[in-house]
């Protein structure tokens, strides 16, 4: 969503980077004691507002990580998003999504899908500026 907003001209590149920085700060704060897989956070999200925020913040950051890797290979995350958004999303489980990613990108991001969607691993440093909370995209940031 953040990238789409920038590509549509609704926000500029600096605000995009600040949004990702705030989401990064939120996700790092929420996972400070334990990393969480997106699959597990999704299961808990209906009852746990912090898990719902991990789905949102970590999900956006995993997408950023994958997009960067794909762009370095001359590919786009838009290829898979078009397929996912055009399908019956309620019927796509994690195994279905993994298979789609594998097929569309010839296995190029299988490792990232496994490490962050299916397994509970912390994200690597994404080289983002410090979170400020000024963008309003993050709800849980560490107290200063």
């Amino acid at each position: 969503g953040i990238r789409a907003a920038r590509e549509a001209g609704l926000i500029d590149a600096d605000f995009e980077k600040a949004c990702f920085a705030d989401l990064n700060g939120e996700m790092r704060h929420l996972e400070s004691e334990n990393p969480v897989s997106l699959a597990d956070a999704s299961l808990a999200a209906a009852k746990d507002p912090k898990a719902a925020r991990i789905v949102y913040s970590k999900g956006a950051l995993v997408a950023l990580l994958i997009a960067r890797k794909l762009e370095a290979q001359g590919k786009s995350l838009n290829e898979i998003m078009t397929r996912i958004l055009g399908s019956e999303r309620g019927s796509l489980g994690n195994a279905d999504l993994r298979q789609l990613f594998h097929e569309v990108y010839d296995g190029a991001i299988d490792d990232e899908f496994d490490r962050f969607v299916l397994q509970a691993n912390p994200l690597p440093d994404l080289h983002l500026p410090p979170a400020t909370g000024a963008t309003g995209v993050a709800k849980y940031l560490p107290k200063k």
Side-chain angles (χ1 to χ4, degrees):
I2 294 167
R3 280 195 132 189
R6 183 192 40 80
E7 289 170 3
L10 301 173
I11 61 174
D12 64 22
D14 289 338
F15 193 75
E16 175 191 36
K17 192 180 293 185
C19 288
F20 282 121
D22 283 352
L23 291 175
N24 188 53
E26 175 179 56
M27 185 265 313
R28 304 277 178 194
H29 174 67
L30 292 172
E31 289 192 331
S32 63
E33 294 181 24
N34 287 330
V36 179
S37 72
L38 285 172
D40 289 342
S42 292
L43 291 174
K47 294 181 181 177
D48 180 356
K50 290 185 179 182
R53 291 304 308 172
I54 288 173
V55 170
Y56 181 72
S57 59
K58 189 171 191 173
L61 295 164
V62 168
L64 176 64
L65 177 72
I66 289 171
R68 286 175 174 176
K69 183 173 182 176
L70 291 171
E71 288 164 3
Q73 299 172 12
K75 299 176 183 176
S76 170
L77 187 60
N78 290 341
E79 296 166 48
I80 192 77
M81 296 309 294
T82 301
R83 278 189 159 182
I84 291 170
L85 295 173
S87 68
E88 294 289 328
R89 292 192 321 175
S91 65
L92 291 177
N94 289 325
D96 301 315
L97 287 171
R98 189 186 188 288
Q99 184 62 32
L100 270 175
F101 273 91
H102 179 79
E103 289 172 8
V104 171
Y105 300 114
D106 298 320
I109 55 166
D110 287 356
D111 182 57
E112 287 78 6
F113 193 94
D114 292 344
R115 287 178 51 216
F116 308 118
V117 176
L118 302 177
Q119 301 165 10
N121 290 297
L123 287 176
D125 183 359
L126 298 171
H127 306 288
L128 295 165
T132 65
T135 64
V137 299
K139 182 174 182 178
Y140 298 100
L141 289 169
K143 305 279 189 253
K144 291 185 180 184

